[in-house]
Amino acid sequence: MPIASPSQYLAMLESARSQGYAFPAINVSSSETLNAALAGFAEAGSDGIIQVSTSGGQFLSGTRVNDMALGAQALAEFAHTVADRYPMFIALHTDHCQPDRVDGFIRPLLAETARRRANGLGQLFQSHMLDASALPLEENLALAAELLEECAAQEVLLELEIGIVGGVEDTMDHTNVDRRKLYTTAEDMMAVAERLGVGERGHYMLAAVFGNVHGVYKPGKVELRPSILREGQNATEERYGYRHYLVFHGGSGSSPEDIRETVGYGVVKMNIDTDTQYALTRSVADHMFTNYSGVMKVDGEVGNKKVYDPRSYMRRAQQAMADRVALACSDLGSAGRSIGE
């Protein structure tokens, strides 16, 4: 099936919200990780979301170019080509774009989508994330409203974040953030609906925070309060007759019980990066240690080309990551579900 159209993407999100499941949103930074994500969704029989961050885009563009929009565009074009051979719908998304990078990342990609649509093609990316959570709420929502209008003109969804996800992710370090900013209030969630509307001005997803942090932490180090999502959704529905499409950031290491609880409150998308990175890299490390003499040309020997050929270990690494993606689909309840079935 092809990359999801605007109506198909909305159908994915609405199906998840109404039926009580969520999609893993897998960060990728190479063709190998993209292929692993696609294979994992296919293995699980799940539609899904694949996303590229600003630093992922920079990496994809190469060390001599260092152009985050160009790198993201290149991988998206590749995804449009290969995803068509898979039996599920995929939406492409950009992750964690901070305000000072909007003009160098989201807007060039929106311009490319406009160019594609003028030539009878679909969107390059189906959604973009603005992460202006470090700004005061009113400034955050003002920029989000501006971008929502631009996205809606291309039938692209916007994701925004209110409150701050702790921990470290890509270029962001929130390890020492004021803990009060790690918890969104019901008033904040109602303010989003007031400022951005309830779909009539364009569709959006909301990353509200409830103590979640990026990275993996030992039990007891993270205090999650999923009930914050329930309270915010109930207040928004009572005032505006609307329930947000919620996003769970920083979910690595969360208990299955916490994950299920958030999904019950309207989480339709859960970002997964740390766990899939580990699955892939752990497989590569195992190959290197197991085949040390063949990879390293020990004591002047010639080594073994079959084991230092990158394809020999990247095949295994892609499968390891694909298995972790499939597990995420199972945990979130999207396995065996597709709007195309």
Side-chain angles (χ1 to χ4, degrees):
M1 294 178 184
I3 298 293
S5 69
S7 62
Q8 289 163 343
Y9 193 12
L10 278 175
M12 286 169 55
L13 300 181
E14 185 54 39
S15 176
R17 186 173 62 176
S18 63
Q19 297 184 46
Y21 64 94
F23 297 105
I26 308 300
N27 278 74
V28 299
S29 56
S30 64
S31 60
E32 290 91 350
T33 50
L34 171 68
N35 283 327
L38 290 171
F41 286 125
E43 183 179 318
S46 171
D47 296 331
I49 300 170
I50 293 176
Q51 55 193 31
V52 181
S53 66
T54 55
S55 64
Q58 287 175 327
F59 180 81
L60 283 159
S61 72
T63 56
R64 295 180 68 94
V65 178
N66 200 34
D67 184 328
M68 54 190 167
L70 181 66
Q73 178 183 340
L75 192 69
E77 297 283 6
F78 179 74
H80 277 269
T81 300
V82 298
D84 193 47
R85 301 294 183 93
Y86 285 82
M88 66 284 167
F89 286 107
I90 295 296
L92 299 177
H93 177 75
T94 60
D95 190 31
H96 282 293
C97 181
Q98 295 167 303
D100 62 346
R101 296 187 167 203
V102 167
D103 287 343
F105 193 57
I106 292 179
R107 286 194 168 113
L109 295 174
L110 280 173
E112 179 58 23
T113 279
R115 186 196 68 78
R116 286 172 58 89
R117 297 182 81 204
N119 287 289
L121 302 174
Q123 295 94 340
L124 182 67
F125 283 89
Q126 287 65 58
S127 54
H128 295 289
M129 182 195 177
L130 167 69
D131 181 0
S133 57
L135 297 177
L137 182 61
E138 184 50 43
E139 293 180 33
N140 181 348
L141 295 183
L143 179 54
E146 183 181 322
L147 273 178
L148 180 62
E149 182 177 358
E150 296 175 40
C151 286
Q154 302 303 330
E155 296 186 86
V156 169
L157 277 76
L158 179 71
E159 180 183 330
L160 69 150
E161 182 174 303
I162 55 173
I164 293 177
V165 178
V168 178
E169 175 77 357
D170 279 342
T171 59
M172 299 174 299
D173 187 345
H174 294 155
T175 50
N176 296 313
V177 72
D178 183 344
R179 288 191 61 80
R180 291 173 296 181
K181 296 182 179 180
L182 300 179
Y183 301 95
T184 298
T185 66
E187 289 73 21
D188 293 339
M189 290 176 65
M190 288 190 290
V192 174
E194 172 67 28
R195 190 71 174 83
L196 301 187
V198 294
E200 76 281 5
R201 302 175 205 168
H203 296 284
Y204 60 89
M205 296 177 282
L206 175 62
V209 297
F210 48 98
N212 34 324
V213 295
H214 289 123
V216 176
Y217 296 81
K218 292 182 178 180
K221 295 295 184 181
V222 178
E223 184 183 355
L224 293 179
R225 300 178 193 166
S227 61
I228 285 174
L229 303 181
R230 179 192 65 219
E231 293 161 6
Q233 288 281 56
N234 289 345
T236 304
E237 185 170 32
E238 182 177 350
R239 180 172 296 182
Y240 298 103
Y242 179 75
R243 293 180 70 81
H244 292 288
Y245 295 117
L246 294 179
V247 179
F248 186 168
H249 285 236
S252 295
S254 298
S255 71
E257 294 77 18
D258 280 338
I259 292 173
R260 283 194 293 269
E261 185 176 357
T262 65
V263 170
Y265 300 148
V267 165
V268 297
K269 171 178 179 280
M270 179 175 172
N271 288 15
I272 299 183
D273 190 13
T274 303
D275 289 349
T276 48
Q277 286 178 345
Y278 179 79
L280 183 137
T281 301
R282 178 66 179 79
S283 176
V284 173
D286 179 70
H287 176 92
M288 297 304 170
F289 285 125
T290 303
N291 299 283
Y292 183 82
S293 61
V295 171
M296 297 301 294
K297 297 187 177 182
V298 175
D299 295 330
E301 294 296 329
V302 296
N304 182 348
K305 185 180 185 303
K306 289 182 178 179
V307 297
Y308 63 73
D309 182 335
R311 291 170 294 185
S312 66
Y313 52 86
M314 288 311 302
R315 285 193 186 96
R316 292 181 56 200
Q318 286 183 51
Q319 186 58 56
M321 180 174 164
D323 291 344
R324 185 61 185 84
V325 171
L327 176 61
C329 293
S330 177
D331 290 342
L332 292 171
S334 69
R337 301 176 189 258
S338 172
I339 61 167
E341 292 295 325

